[in-house]
Amino acid sequence: MSIEVAQFICLSDNFGLLVHDRATGATASVDSPDGETIAAEAERRGWPLTHLLLTHHHLDHIEGTEFLKKRFPQMKVVGAANDAHRLPPLDEAVSDGDEVSLGAARAKVIATPGHTLGHIVYYFPDDEAVFVGDTLFSLGCGRVFEGTTDEMRLSLEKVANLPRETRVYCGHEYTQANGRFAITVDPENTVLRDRIARVDALRAAGRFTLPTTIALENATNPFLRVEDPLVKKAMGMDDANPFAVFAAMRERKNSFAG
């Protein structure tokens, strides 16, 4: 693998993510929740930023961009072409299927509308890593603020169909809270129960629960398991199609207070 990933907390529960190409020294921040925190971590590691890879336009993912651009003038800002009107000024506007170069590393752009219409994720196939922003969360998924739940489910399928060993880096540390909901709609899943116990132990020790993997999410994330008969049964929707199950699950999660 040619990339090294540094993960740290910004704001309250956003992840700061630095992607460093060992071969060339090129370094990207995935989103910019807090410019000062990101710059401090990059400088501590001796990784001056060359790229900023934006996943979507929400403020907690872009508000540090101006600070970072001033601190690292050579930094190239990359984001979705069809969302350029509500992103910080882009140096490189990309669309679904495009490739972004980070030194010797290569990322494929995958459009994942749902959380926002212009959301994109960055998949590094040679490094078995994907940076999913707020589309997929560990044991959950993003709220559907724009578009439809059908679009969101199709976007999640794109990510879920990546190779099973792919490491998944999300935009927030939400796993423990997501697990409390997940077990209510997949109560017979022993792999999920075991995972929740591990997550609780990690959080009690002050450790992160990410990255996860595609294989682990497909086995335990209820939003990726809406075709499973046991999930349908728990939802009281035995005969419903997966899109209807997903929509009902997302609505139930929106009001979940556990």
Side-chain angles (χ1 to χ4, degrees):
M1 296 184 191
S2 68
I3 64 170
E4 180 179 352
V5 180
Q7 184 175 243
F8 49 96
I9 290 294
C10 290
L11 306 178
S12 60
D13 55 34
N14 283 72
F15 273 115
L17 289 162
L18 299 180
V19 186
H20 178 70
D21 176 47
R22 295 187 182 97
T24 65
T27 302
S29 174
V30 180
D31 289 329
S32 58
D34 181 340
E36 292 189 37
T37 301
I38 293 166
E41 183 65 19
E43 289 168 345
R44 185 184 73 82
R45 291 175 174 272
W47 295 354
L49 295 185
T50 56
H51 295 73
L52 174 58
L53 307 179
L54 299 176
T55 62
H56 64 295
H57 76 278
H58 285 163
L59 184 61
D60 64 320
H61 290 259
I62 66 171
E63 63 183 316
T65 301
E66 184 177 0
F67 182 93
L68 291 175
K69 191 70 170 176
K70 288 179 179 177
R71 183 68 64 90
F72 306 102
Q74 77 283 4
M75 183 185 75
K76 179 185 292 186
V77 181
V78 182
N82 66 348
D83 240 6
H85 62 288
R86 54 184 183 174
L87 290 170
L90 299 178
D91 299 301
E92 183 176 353
V94 295
S95 300
D96 186 56
D98 286 349
E99 186 177 87
V100 176
S101 297
L102 178 66
R106 300 288 182 271
K108 179 183 177 182
V109 175
I110 303 174
T112 56
H115 181 66
T116 69
L117 287 175
H119 200 296
I120 58 177
V121 308
Y122 298 89
Y123 171 48
F124 289 76
D126 295 338
D127 298 281
E128 299 177 342
V130 63
F131 299 85
V132 296
D134 287 0
T135 290
L136 176 67
F137 291 127
S138 179
L139 295 181
C141 71
R143 286 177 179 261
V144 182
F145 289 118
E146 301 174 5
T148 67
T149 55
D150 284 2
E151 286 177 310
M152 187 64 163
R153 179 169 183 258
L154 292 173
S155 291
L156 289 169
E157 281 193 344
K158 291 181 186 179
V159 179
N161 287 332
L162 295 175
R164 57 182 283 108
E165 64 276 5
T166 304
R167 290 167 293 135
V168 181
Y169 293 89
C170 309
H172 295 266
E173 177 59 85
Y174 286 165
T175 313
Q176 190 171 43
N178 285 341
R180 290 193 287 269
F181 173 77
I183 200 64
T184 69
V185 294
D186 200 3
E188 298 183 50
N189 188 335
T190 58
V191 180
L192 173 59
R193 288 190 177 276
D194 289 345
R195 186 175 179 203
I196 289 171
R198 292 196 302 273
V199 164
D200 287 343
L202 286 169
R203 296 309 291 154
R207 297 172 60 190
F208 298 145
T209 63
L210 296 170
T212 178
T213 66
I214 293 297
L216 190 54
E217 291 307 308
N218 279 328
T220 58
N221 188 327
F223 290 96
L224 305 184
R225 292 171 45 76
V226 292
E227 297 183 25
D228 189 288
L230 292 177
V231 173
K232 287 184 170 185
K233 178 183 175 183
M235 288 286 294
M237 302 179 72
D238 298 71
D239 299 322
N241 71 66
F243 288 93
V245 177
F246 179 85
M249 186 182 293
R250 184 59 265 179
E251 184 63 27
R252 188 179 296 186
K253 177 65 162 60
N254 290 347
S255 58
F256 183 70

